[in-house]
């Protein structure tokens, strides 16, 4: 009987194998042999194809929706639908002149009415834009291709915020009262180089086809398909075996640990400096002892930056400066390089009264009570837990007891953004984040904005206020230099390394462009990329 | 018998009510705010008034007790609410993902249970034989391996090395090749896993059963092996196995989270995980309630099946 069972199993396996091979020879996977289809793998959590309800779907609608402004490869702001613009002397009224040859995917012309409608509608109906456009009073069409945007107060960074605004057709959306709940067929009609085709939720694919009528000409690929993965390892396998041509994640490249294995498989890479800072040690500067500059300095001397560059960034990084802002930004100023000096760290800690009074191996507060530094790290950032362990080891080597607390994204937001109850944490900054508020990361630092560092230092805030007001490039340069000096001197935040973005792609494709904000979903990619058959 | 059934019904009703109430509380006890998902990370911190506005629009600003009453009222009317993170009614999402889930979990549960039942019986009878010891050890090894890791191994070998299967996603369309290629690896992963622990369970039961005197009597009658196996070894061993298998059928409806992640399979397990990450209370509640109901229902069916298969329980 046993033998019969084993035999039966073997027969089933052999017949199944033969049948599968036979079927395999008969047909090929859809999309596999389609020429000029660019297939992009992503682990972004896309749930629905409503750009206002789904943050990550909103990102990939860059293919189907043109914006007013965009960013080029060097991080400079370029016009997209705006041909040129002027600002009134008081900085309150902006006049935008639009290109006259833009059309919607349903062949209707894109006019100033659509742009004015988009700004007013998004500001009123879509939560995220209420913040992006909070200083906009109203937008109105002056004529067919001129829009006047009136602000509540002078705001010279308006083009930057308009860079995230997707221009939407008035004739579709004017009848929609709840945009986050709108799922009709025309919800993704745009004016961009690709037309949205659909989201196959079962197979996890989102499809776009070329827009032959696009005002700048036909893109160089016929279709773009996003293949969704729920785990990075499977996506990397898919890249190696050619199931996808490249991979994408907003504001992130791949983890450097995958590079050697991908290299062996002949995968190529675009390596770009990151405009954001990959990982930082943040302090809540309103809490003791993190509000003590000397304490933060001692922490900076205890950290082993070389180890982070080697072990976490696998060498795809630079040692950071105390001035925090990476050298890729305009107006970068060379400040002191951060370095490890354990004896200096211990001397500073001793001098400010952090000593091991009870001989248990850990430093206590100056009043003799126990001290444990609670460091939060994000479980949604893959390298965060490894890095947190290294930071813990480094700080413990100078006698600071560390408690590492993992937090998923909502928990992290609750603690850091809502309660501001954090002591210290490890997290990154994005390109967009670095540009917020007065730019140069000020939004993250200033307690009046996102304020992860919770800083209300008058010296810092004065510089920020001047940066917000100035229109003079020379003055801005001076202010940004001063800002970096303040960052270096006060160390509100310690950059752990300045990383590079690693963008892998298969050798069958060439011509990918990379912009600092949206990576390979750059406008230049669609007209240069070539896909081999 | 009738009294027993009534008692069970009351017990199950109470259980369901408790589950529904706990399902309301658990998501709300988690730290984090559902509006974060809608506002995005860069906006949430700087626009507290938007957070409040969103909370109001989803009724999250109301006192907990009021929210609970509304939740109960809606649930008894079959209204599970609206998912914040998917921007769609919850029932629509469950209805969309349930068939994909069952496609992933039900066939392996059925096939794996049958293989486990049969293999466990074979290994449990005269368990001292070398071949059976090897088989049991093999099953123990498979059972000890986490299914997601087994899935990763299968992906690595069959997808990357042999290039026989795609690296993820559920089948779509009516193409048979597409269907087979997407279903095969998750099916094998889950089947092997379900078969391994069912066989170990059945092996233990049969080892005990085979010591019974009725087994000796059956053998001494000179019954053919197959008849002996089915009538005198499998049948009396069935009740504990049925209870366990029924639980597995119940859990099949809630998906197989880790395997769904490995194979990027959009099932209910993955949906539940996504709902946790987004703190999507209505979706989370609905999936919890749905999963719990199927498990309770499966338990009830198991009770009935045990009564049918075991005359002693009928008499009790």
């Amino acid at each position: 009987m046993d033998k019969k069972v084993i035999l039966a199993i073997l027969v089933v396996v052999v017949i199944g194998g033969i049948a599968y091979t036979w079927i395999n020879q008969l047909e090929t996977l859809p999309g596999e042999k389609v020429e000029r289809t660019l297939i992009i793998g992503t682990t972004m959590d896309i749930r629905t194809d409503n750009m206002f309800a789904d943050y990550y779907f909103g990102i990939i609608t860059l293919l189907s929706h043109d914006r007013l402004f965009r960013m080029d490869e060097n991080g400079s702001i370029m016009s997209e639908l705006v041909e040129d613009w002027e600002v009134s002397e008081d900085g309150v009224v902006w006049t935008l002149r639009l290109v006259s040859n833009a059309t919607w995917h349903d062949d209707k012309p894109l006019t100033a009415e659509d742009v004015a409608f988009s700004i007013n509608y998004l500001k009123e109906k879509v939560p995220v834009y209420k913040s992006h456009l909070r200083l906009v009073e109203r937008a109105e069409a002056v004529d067919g291709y001129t829009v006047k945007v009136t602000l509540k107060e002078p705001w010279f960074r308006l083009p930057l915020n308009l860079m995230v605004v997707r221009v939407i057709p008035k004739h579709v959306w004017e009848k929609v009262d709840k945009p986050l709940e709108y799922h009709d067929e025309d919800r993704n009609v745009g004016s961009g180089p690709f037309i949205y085709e659909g989201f196959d939720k079962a197979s996890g694919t989102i499809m776009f086809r070329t827009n032959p009528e696009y005002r700048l000409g036909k893109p160089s690929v016929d279709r773009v398909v996003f293949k969704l993965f729920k785990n990075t390892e499977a996506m990397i396998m898919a890249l190696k075996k050619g199931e996808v041509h490249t991979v994408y994640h907003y504001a992130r490249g791949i983890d450097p640990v995958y590079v050697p294995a991908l290299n062996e498989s002949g995968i190529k890479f675009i390596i770009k400096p990151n405009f954001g800072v990959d990982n930082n040690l943040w302090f809540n500067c309103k809490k003791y002892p993190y509000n003590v500059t000397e304490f933060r300095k001692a922490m900076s001397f205890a950290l082993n930056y070389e180890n982070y560059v080697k072990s976490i960034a696998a060498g795809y990084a630079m040692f950071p400066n105390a001035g925090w802002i990476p050298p890729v930004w305009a107006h970068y100023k060379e400040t002191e390089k951060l370095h490890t000096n354990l004896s200096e760290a211990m001397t500073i800690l001793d001098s400010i009264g952090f000593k091991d009074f009870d001989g248990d191996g850990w430093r206590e507060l100056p009043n003799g009570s126990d001290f444990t530094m609670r460091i939060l790290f994000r479980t949604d950032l893959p390298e965060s837990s490894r890095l947190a362990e290294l930071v813990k080891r480094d700080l413990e080597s100078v006698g600071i007891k560390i408690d590492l607390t993992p937090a998923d994204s909502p928990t992290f937001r609750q603690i850091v953004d809502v309660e501001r109850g954090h002591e210290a944490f490890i997290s990154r900054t994005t390109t967009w984040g670095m540009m917020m508020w007065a730019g140069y990361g000020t939004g993250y630092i200033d307690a009046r904005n996102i304020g992860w560092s919770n800083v209300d230092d008058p010296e810092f805030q004065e510089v920020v206020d001047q940066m917000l007001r100035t229109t003079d490039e020379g003055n801005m340069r001076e202010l940004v230099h001063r800002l970096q000096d303040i960052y270096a001197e006060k160390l509100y935040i310690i950059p752990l390394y300045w990383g590079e973005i690693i963008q892998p792609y298969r050798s069958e494709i060439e011509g990918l462009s990379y912009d600092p904000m949206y990576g390979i979903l750059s406008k230049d990619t669609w007209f240069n990329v070539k896909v081999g058959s | 018998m009738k009294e027993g059934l009534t008692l069970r019904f009351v017990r199950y009703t109470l259980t369901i009510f408790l589950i529904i109430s706990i399902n309301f509380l658990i998501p709300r006890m988690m730290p984090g705010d559902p509006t974060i998902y809608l506002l995005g990370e860069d906006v949430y911190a700087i626009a507290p008034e938007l957070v409040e506005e969103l909370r109001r629009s989803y009724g999250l600003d109301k006192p907990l007790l009021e929210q609970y009453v509304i939740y109960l009222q809606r649930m008894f009317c079959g209204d599970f609410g609206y998912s914040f993170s998917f921007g769609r009614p919850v029932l629509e999402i469950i209805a969309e993902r349930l068939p994909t889930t069952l496609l992933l979990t039900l066939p392996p549960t059925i096939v794996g249970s049958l293989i486990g039942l049969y293999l466990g019986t074979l290994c449990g009878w005269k368990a001292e034989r070398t071949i059976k010891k090897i088989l049991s050890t093999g099953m123990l090894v498979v059972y000890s391996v986490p299914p997601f890791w087994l899935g990763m191994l299968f992906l690595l070998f069959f997808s990357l090395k042999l290039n026989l299967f795609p690296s993820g996603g559920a089948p779509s369309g009516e193409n048979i090749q597409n269907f087979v290629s997407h279903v095969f690896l998750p099916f094998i992963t889950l089947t092997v896993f379900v078969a391994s622990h069912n066989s170990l369970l059945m092996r233990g039961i049969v080892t005990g059963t085979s010591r019974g005197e009725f087994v000796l009597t059956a053998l001494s009658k000179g019954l053919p092996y197959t008849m002996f196996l089915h009538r005198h070894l499998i049948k009396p061993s069935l009740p504990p196995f049925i209870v366990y298998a029924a639980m597995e059928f119940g859990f099949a409806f809630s998906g197989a989270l880790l395997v769904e992640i490995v194979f990027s399979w959009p099932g209910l397990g993955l949906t539940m995980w996504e709902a946790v990450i987004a703190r999507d209370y209505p979706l989370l509640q609905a999936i919890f309630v749905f999963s719990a109901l199927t498990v309770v229902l499966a338990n009830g069916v198991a009770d009935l099946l045990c009564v049918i298969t075991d005359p002693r329980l009928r008499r009790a």
Side-chain angles (χ1 to χ4, degrees), chain A residues 1 20 130 181 183 200 202 230-231 241 243 410-411 413 418 432, chain B residues 42 53 82 87 118 159 163-165 167 170 172 262 264 274 277:
Chain A
M1 188 63 196
Y20 183 78
K130 288 184 185 183
E181 297 174 15
H183 293 283
D200 182 341
K230 292 296 174 187
N231 79 95
K241 64 185 277 212
E243 229 174 85
T411 309
R413 299 286 153 200
V418 180
W432 169 248
Chain B
D42 293 334
E53 192 184 317
Y82 194 84
Y118 207 66
S159 176
N163 204 13
L164 286 173
F165 303 99
S167 49
S172 67
V262 169
S264 303
E274 288 169 345
I277 296 298

mmCIF file of all heavy atoms in Angstrom, chain A residues 1 20 130 181 183 200 202 230-231 241 243 410-411 413 418 432, chain B residues 42 53 82 87 118 159 163-165 167 170 172 262 264 274 277:
data_model
loop_
_atom_site.group_PDB
_atom_site.id
_atom_site.type_symbol
_atom_site.label_atom_id
_atom_site.label_comp_id
_atom_site.label_asym_id
_atom_site.label_seq_id
_atom_site.Cartn_x
_atom_site.Cartn_y
_atom_site.Cartn_z
ATOM 1 N N MET A 1 0.827 -1.214 0.000
ATOM 2 C CA MET A 1 0.000 0.000 0.000
ATOM 3 C C MET A 1 0.857 1.259 0.000
ATOM 4 O O MET A 1 0.663 2.175 -0.779
ATOM 5 C CB MET A 1 -0.900 -0.028 1.252
ATOM 6 C CG MET A 1 -1.934 1.080 1.269
ATOM 7 S SD MET A 1 -3.062 0.912 -0.107
ATOM 8 C CE MET A 1 -3.805 2.532 -0.097
ATOM 9 N N TYR A 20 2.585 21.016 -17.474
ATOM 10 C CA TYR A 20 2.926 22.422 -17.287
ATOM 11 C C TYR A 20 3.923 22.890 -18.351
ATOM 12 O O TYR A 20 3.782 23.963 -18.928
ATOM 13 C CB TYR A 20 3.511 22.640 -15.881
ATOM 14 C CG TYR A 20 3.806 24.097 -15.644
ATOM 15 C CD1 TYR A 20 2.773 24.980 -15.341
ATOM 16 C CD2 TYR A 20 5.092 24.603 -15.798
ATOM 17 C CE1 TYR A 20 3.009 26.318 -15.178
ATOM 18 C CE2 TYR A 20 5.339 25.949 -15.644
ATOM 19 C CZ TYR A 20 4.293 26.796 -15.323
ATOM 20 O OH TYR A 20 4.534 28.131 -15.167
ATOM 21 N N LYS A 130 -4.891 71.113 1.156
ATOM 22 C CA LYS A 130 -5.246 72.233 2.036
ATOM 23 C C LYS A 130 -3.985 72.747 2.709
ATOM 24 O O LYS A 130 -3.878 73.929 3.027
ATOM 25 C CB LYS A 130 -6.243 71.769 3.103
ATOM 26 C CG LYS A 130 -7.609 71.526 2.524
ATOM 27 C CD LYS A 130 -8.612 71.163 3.592
ATOM 28 C CE LYS A 130 -9.927 70.820 2.922
ATOM 29 N NZ LYS A 130 -10.989 70.515 3.858
ATOM 30 N N GLU A 181 -13.819 59.785 -2.763
ATOM 31 C CA GLU A 181 -14.722 58.644 -2.925
ATOM 32 C C GLU A 181 -15.166 58.470 -4.371
ATOM 33 O O GLU A 181 -16.091 57.717 -4.655
ATOM 34 C CB GLU A 181 -15.940 58.827 -2.005
ATOM 35 C CG GLU A 181 -15.541 58.851 -0.530
ATOM 36 C CD GLU A 181 -16.712 59.168 0.393
ATOM 37 O OE1 GLU A 181 -17.862 59.091 -0.063
ATOM 38 O OE2 GLU A 181 -16.452 59.500 1.569
ATOM 39 N N HIS A 183 -15.018 57.150 -8.055
ATOM 40 C CA HIS A 183 -14.411 55.995 -8.731
ATOM 41 C C HIS A 183 -14.940 55.806 -10.153
ATOM 42 O O HIS A 183 -14.838 54.711 -10.708
ATOM 43 C CB HIS A 183 -14.641 54.718 -7.915
ATOM 44 C CG HIS A 183 -13.908 54.725 -6.608
ATOM 45 N ND1 HIS A 183 -12.560 54.481 -6.506
ATOM 46 C CD2 HIS A 183 -14.324 54.989 -5.347
ATOM 47 C CE1 HIS A 183 -12.178 54.575 -5.246
ATOM 48 N NE2 HIS A 183 -13.235 54.889 -4.517
ATOM 49 N N ASP A 200 -5.267 46.112 -12.348
ATOM 50 C CA ASP A 200 -5.700 44.731 -12.139
ATOM 51 C C ASP A 200 -5.247 44.323 -10.742
ATOM 52 O O ASP A 200 -4.077 44.020 -10.505
ATOM 53 C CB ASP A 200 -5.060 43.831 -13.209
ATOM 54 C CG ASP A 200 -5.520 42.390 -13.078
ATOM 55 O OD1 ASP A 200 -6.010 42.024 -11.992
ATOM 56 O OD2 ASP A 200 -5.393 41.637 -14.053
ATOM 57 N N ALA A 202 -5.938 41.759 -8.889
ATOM 58 C CA ALA A 202 -5.561 40.361 -8.652
ATOM 59 C C ALA A 202 -4.091 40.146 -8.993
ATOM 60 O O ALA A 202 -3.325 39.641 -8.167
ATOM 61 C CB ALA A 202 -6.446 39.444 -9.480
ATOM 62 N N LYS A 230 4.669 42.713 -2.590
ATOM 63 C CA LYS A 230 4.464 42.955 -1.167
ATOM 64 C C LYS A 230 5.724 42.664 -0.372
ATOM 65 O O LYS A 230 5.740 42.859 0.834
ATOM 66 C CB LYS A 230 3.300 42.101 -0.640
ATOM 67 C CG LYS A 230 1.959 42.528 -1.203
ATOM 68 C CD LYS A 230 1.595 43.915 -0.769
ATOM 69 C CE LYS A 230 0.322 44.401 -1.445
ATOM 70 N NZ LYS A 230 0.060 45.814 -1.157
ATOM 71 N N ASN A 231 6.738 42.135 -1.022
ATOM 72 C CA ASN A 231 8.004 41.992 -0.305
ATOM 73 C C ASN A 231 9.167 42.247 -1.248
ATOM 74 O O ASN A 231 9.120 41.909 -2.432
ATOM 75 C CB ASN A 231 8.093 40.645 0.409
ATOM 76 C CG ASN A 231 8.443 39.510 -0.504
ATOM 77 O OD1 ASN A 231 9.595 39.142 -0.638
ATOM 78 N ND2 ASN A 231 7.442 38.955 -1.175
ATOM 79 N N LYS A 241 15.492 38.081 -12.821
ATOM 80 C CA LYS A 241 15.077 37.163 -13.885
ATOM 81 C C LYS A 241 14.423 37.877 -15.065
ATOM 82 O O LYS A 241 14.046 37.237 -16.043
ATOM 83 C CB LYS A 241 14.176 36.049 -13.328
ATOM 84 C CG LYS A 241 12.868 36.529 -12.779
ATOM 85 C CD LYS A 241 12.100 35.393 -12.153
ATOM 86 C CE LYS A 241 11.346 34.623 -13.196
ATOM 87 N NZ LYS A 241 10.081 34.069 -12.689
ATOM 88 N N GLU A 243 11.618 39.790 -15.075
ATOM 89 C CA GLU A 243 10.170 39.980 -15.045
ATOM 90 C C GLU A 243 9.823 41.466 -14.989
ATOM 91 O O GLU A 243 8.750 41.868 -15.425
ATOM 92 C CB GLU A 243 9.628 39.303 -13.789
ATOM 93 C CG GLU A 243 8.463 38.401 -14.035
ATOM 94 C CD GLU A 243 8.089 37.678 -12.762
ATOM 95 O OE1 GLU A 243 7.344 38.243 -11.971
ATOM 96 O OE2 GLU A 243 8.566 36.539 -12.565
ATOM 97 N N PRO A 410 2.019 54.630 11.850
ATOM 98 C CA PRO A 410 1.037 55.409 12.634
ATOM 99 C C PRO A 410 1.476 55.653 14.072
ATOM 100 O O PRO A 410 1.240 56.734 14.619
ATOM 101 C CB PRO A 410 -0.223 54.535 12.598
ATOM 102 C CG PRO A 410 -0.040 53.628 11.440
ATOM 103 C CD PRO A 410 1.425 53.396 11.320
ATOM 104 N N THR A 411 2.134 54.665 14.683
ATOM 105 C CA THR A 411 2.591 54.843 16.068
ATOM 106 C C THR A 411 3.654 55.937 16.120
ATOM 107 O O THR A 411 3.649 56.804 16.999
ATOM 108 C CB THR A 411 3.169 53.518 16.617
ATOM 109 O OG1 THR A 411 2.222 52.496 16.380
ATOM 110 C CG2 THR A 411 3.477 53.617 18.090
ATOM 111 N N ARG A 413 4.040 58.415 14.049
ATOM 112 C CA ARG A 413 3.402 59.725 13.841
ATOM 113 C C ARG A 413 2.713 60.213 15.107
ATOM 114 O O ARG A 413 2.726 61.394 15.440
ATOM 115 C CB ARG A 413 2.359 59.650 12.725
ATOM 116 C CG ARG A 413 2.903 59.259 11.409
ATOM 117 C CD ARG A 413 3.670 60.389 10.779
ATOM 118 N NE ARG A 413 4.654 59.822 9.891
ATOM 119 C CZ ARG A 413 5.723 60.441 9.455
ATOM 120 N NH1 ARG A 413 5.983 61.658 9.845
ATOM 121 N NH2 ARG A 413 6.557 59.859 8.640
ATOM 122 N N VAL A 418 2.015 64.113 16.853
ATOM 123 C CA VAL A 418 0.852 64.551 17.626
ATOM 124 C C VAL A 418 1.250 64.896 19.061
ATOM 125 O O VAL A 418 1.021 66.008 19.528
ATOM 126 C CB VAL A 418 -0.242 63.459 17.638
ATOM 127 C CG1 VAL A 418 -1.450 63.924 18.433
ATOM 128 C CG2 VAL A 418 -0.643 63.103 16.220
ATOM 129 N N TRP A 432 11.511 66.324 -0.840
ATOM 130 C CA TRP A 432 10.393 67.250 -0.658
ATOM 131 C C TRP A 432 10.405 67.827 0.751
ATOM 132 O O TRP A 432 10.213 69.023 0.971
ATOM 133 C CB TRP A 432 9.077 66.536 -0.965
ATOM 134 C CG TRP A 432 7.864 67.328 -0.560
ATOM 135 C CD1 TRP A 432 6.987 67.023 0.434
ATOM 136 C CD2 TRP A 432 7.412 68.564 -1.123
ATOM 137 N NE1 TRP A 432 6.019 67.987 0.527
ATOM 138 C CE2 TRP A 432 6.253 68.953 -0.427
ATOM 139 C CE3 TRP A 432 7.874 69.388 -2.144
ATOM 140 C CZ2 TRP A 432 5.545 70.109 -0.708
ATOM 141 C CZ3 TRP A 432 7.167 70.551 -2.436
ATOM 142 C CH2 TRP A 432 6.014 70.896 -1.726
ATOM 143 N N ASP B 42 4.049 64.181 5.287
ATOM 144 C CA ASP B 42 4.577 65.537 5.323
ATOM 145 C C ASP B 42 3.543 66.560 5.796
ATOM 146 O O ASP B 42 3.889 67.670 6.138
ATOM 147 C CB ASP B 42 5.093 65.948 3.940
ATOM 148 C CG ASP B 42 6.318 65.133 3.553
ATOM 149 O OD1 ASP B 42 7.012 64.671 4.472
ATOM 150 O OD2 ASP B 42 6.551 64.943 2.352
ATOM 151 N N GLU B 53 -10.721 67.869 11.233
ATOM 152 C CA GLU B 53 -11.793 67.887 10.236
ATOM 153 C C GLU B 53 -12.050 66.469 9.702
ATOM 154 O O GLU B 53 -13.182 66.024 9.575
ATOM 155 C CB GLU B 53 -11.374 68.823 9.097
ATOM 156 C CG GLU B 53 -12.495 69.157 8.142
ATOM 157 C CD GLU B 53 -11.995 70.011 6.986
ATOM 158 O OE1 GLU B 53 -11.212 70.939 7.223
ATOM 159 O OE2 GLU B 53 -12.390 69.710 5.844
ATOM 160 N N TYR B 82 -17.278 52.357 5.781
ATOM 161 C CA TYR B 82 -16.501 52.810 4.638
ATOM 162 C C TYR B 82 -15.011 52.762 4.998
ATOM 163 O O TYR B 82 -14.606 53.222 6.061
ATOM 164 C CB TYR B 82 -16.924 54.251 4.332
ATOM 165 C CG TYR B 82 -16.472 54.746 3.004
ATOM 166 C CD1 TYR B 82 -17.192 54.471 1.847
ATOM 167 C CD2 TYR B 82 -15.298 55.485 2.899
ATOM 168 C CE1 TYR B 82 -16.767 54.930 0.620
ATOM 169 C CE2 TYR B 82 -14.875 55.950 1.669
ATOM 170 C CZ TYR B 82 -15.608 55.670 0.544
ATOM 171 O OH TYR B 82 -15.177 56.117 -0.667
ATOM 172 N N GLY B 87 -10.886 53.936 0.278
ATOM 173 C CA GLY B 87 -11.849 54.869 -0.306
ATOM 174 C C GLY B 87 -13.051 54.171 -0.894
ATOM 175 O O GLY B 87 -13.613 54.632 -1.893
ATOM 176 N N TYR B 118 -4.452 10.819 5.392
ATOM 177 C CA TYR B 118 -4.047 9.506 4.878
ATOM 178 C C TYR B 118 -2.605 9.175 5.282
ATOM 179 O O TYR B 118 -2.316 8.077 5.759
ATOM 180 C CB TYR B 118 -4.192 9.515 3.355
ATOM 181 C CG TYR B 118 -4.449 8.138 2.808
ATOM 182 C CD1 TYR B 118 -5.639 7.465 3.102
ATOM 183 C CD2 TYR B 118 -3.506 7.499 2.027
ATOM 184 C CE1 TYR B 118 -5.870 6.182 2.624
ATOM 185 C CE2 TYR B 118 -3.729 6.220 1.539
ATOM 186 C CZ TYR B 118 -4.915 5.574 1.829
ATOM 187 O OH TYR B 118 -5.135 4.313 1.366
ATOM 188 N N SER B 159 11.158 29.833 -9.344
ATOM 189 C CA SER B 159 10.934 31.058 -10.107
ATOM 190 C C SER B 159 12.250 31.650 -10.613
ATOM 191 O O SER B 159 12.420 31.867 -11.806
ATOM 192 C CB SER B 159 10.199 32.074 -9.225
ATOM 193 O OG SER B 159 10.062 33.289 -9.893
ATOM 194 N N ASN B 163 13.052 29.405 -13.548
ATOM 195 C CA ASN B 163 12.211 30.310 -14.347
ATOM 196 C C ASN B 163 10.905 29.653 -14.821
ATOM 197 O O ASN B 163 10.450 29.884 -15.934
ATOM 198 C CB ASN B 163 13.014 30.824 -15.546
ATOM 199 C CG ASN B 163 12.461 32.151 -16.054
ATOM 200 O OD1 ASN B 163 11.647 32.779 -15.368
ATOM 201 N ND2 ASN B 163 12.861 32.558 -17.232
ATOM 202 N N LEU B 164 10.324 28.824 -13.956
ATOM 203 C CA LEU B 164 9.084 28.141 -14.331
ATOM 204 C C LEU B 164 7.837 28.952 -13.972
ATOM 205 O O LEU B 164 6.794 28.796 -14.593
ATOM 206 C CB LEU B 164 9.002 26.788 -13.612
ATOM 207 C CG LEU B 164 9.921 25.686 -14.141
ATOM 208 C CD1 LEU B 164 9.862 24.471 -13.232
ATOM 209 C CD2 LEU B 164 9.541 25.302 -15.560
ATOM 210 N N PHE B 165 7.962 29.754 -12.936
ATOM 211 C CA PHE B 165 6.782 30.470 -12.430
ATOM 212 C C PHE B 165 7.088 31.954 -12.227
ATOM 213 O O PHE B 165 8.236 32.315 -11.996
ATOM 214 C CB PHE B 165 6.327 29.865 -11.100
ATOM 215 C CG PHE B 165 6.016 28.407 -11.190
ATOM 216 C CD1 PHE B 165 6.948 27.457 -10.780
ATOM 217 C CD2 PHE B 165 4.812 27.968 -11.720
ATOM 218 C CE1 PHE B 165 6.672 26.108 -10.877
ATOM 219 C CE2 PHE B 165 4.539 26.625 -11.820
ATOM 220 C CZ PHE B 165 5.465 25.684 -11.401
ATOM 221 N N SER B 167 7.080 35.595 -10.167
ATOM 222 C CA SER B 167 7.492 35.805 -8.775
ATOM 223 C C SER B 167 6.396 36.404 -7.900
ATOM 224 O O SER B 167 6.671 36.842 -6.802
ATOM 225 C CB SER B 167 8.735 36.678 -8.738
ATOM 226 O OG SER B 167 8.532 37.800 -9.552
ATOM 227 N N ALA B 170 -1.704 37.231 -8.066
ATOM 228 C CA ALA B 170 -2.752 36.224 -8.269
ATOM 229 C C ALA B 170 -3.064 36.158 -9.770
ATOM 230 O O ALA B 170 -2.740 37.083 -10.502
ATOM 231 C CB ALA B 170 -3.988 36.623 -7.483
ATOM 232 N N SER B 172 -5.046 36.450 -13.271
ATOM 233 C CA SER B 172 -6.124 37.308 -13.740
ATOM 234 C C SER B 172 -6.451 36.911 -15.171
ATOM 235 O O SER B 172 -5.592 36.417 -15.893
ATOM 236 C CB SER B 172 -5.714 38.772 -13.675
ATOM 237 O OG SER B 172 -4.694 39.018 -14.601
ATOM 238 N N VAL B 262 4.605 36.914 0.755
ATOM 239 C CA VAL B 262 5.682 36.336 -0.070
ATOM 240 C C VAL B 262 5.291 36.335 -1.543
ATOM 241 O O VAL B 262 6.075 36.720 -2.417
ATOM 242 C CB VAL B 262 6.018 34.904 0.407
ATOM 243 C CG1 VAL B 262 6.937 34.206 -0.593
ATOM 244 C CG2 VAL B 262 6.674 34.950 1.765
ATOM 245 N N SER B 264 2.920 38.090 -2.987
ATOM 246 C CA SER B 264 2.200 39.331 -3.347
ATOM 247 C C SER B 264 0.775 39.011 -3.781
ATOM 248 O O SER B 264 0.299 39.452 -4.825
ATOM 249 C CB SER B 264 2.936 40.072 -4.470
ATOM 250 O OG SER B 264 4.239 40.363 -4.095
ATOM 251 N N GLU B 274 -2.821 45.434 5.827
ATOM 252 C CA GLU B 274 -2.853 46.803 5.307
ATOM 253 C C GLU B 274 -3.766 47.683 6.156
ATOM 254 O O GLU B 274 -3.477 48.851 6.408
ATOM 255 C CB GLU B 274 -3.335 46.810 3.854
ATOM 256 C CG GLU B 274 -2.307 46.251 2.883
ATOM 257 C CD GLU B 274 -2.869 46.008 1.483
ATOM 258 O OE1 GLU B 274 -4.105 45.997 1.313
ATOM 259 O OE2 GLU B 274 -2.073 45.795 0.563
ATOM 260 N N ILE B 277 -1.918 48.651 9.322
ATOM 261 C CA ILE B 277 -0.924 49.695 9.063
ATOM 262 C C ILE B 277 -1.600 51.065 8.904
ATOM 263 O O ILE B 277 -1.089 52.080 9.365
ATOM 264 C CB ILE B 277 -0.110 49.364 7.779
ATOM 265 C CG1 ILE B 277 0.698 48.087 7.985
ATOM 266 C CG2 ILE B 277 0.811 50.520 7.378
ATOM 267 C CD1 ILE B 277 1.734 48.146 9.070
#
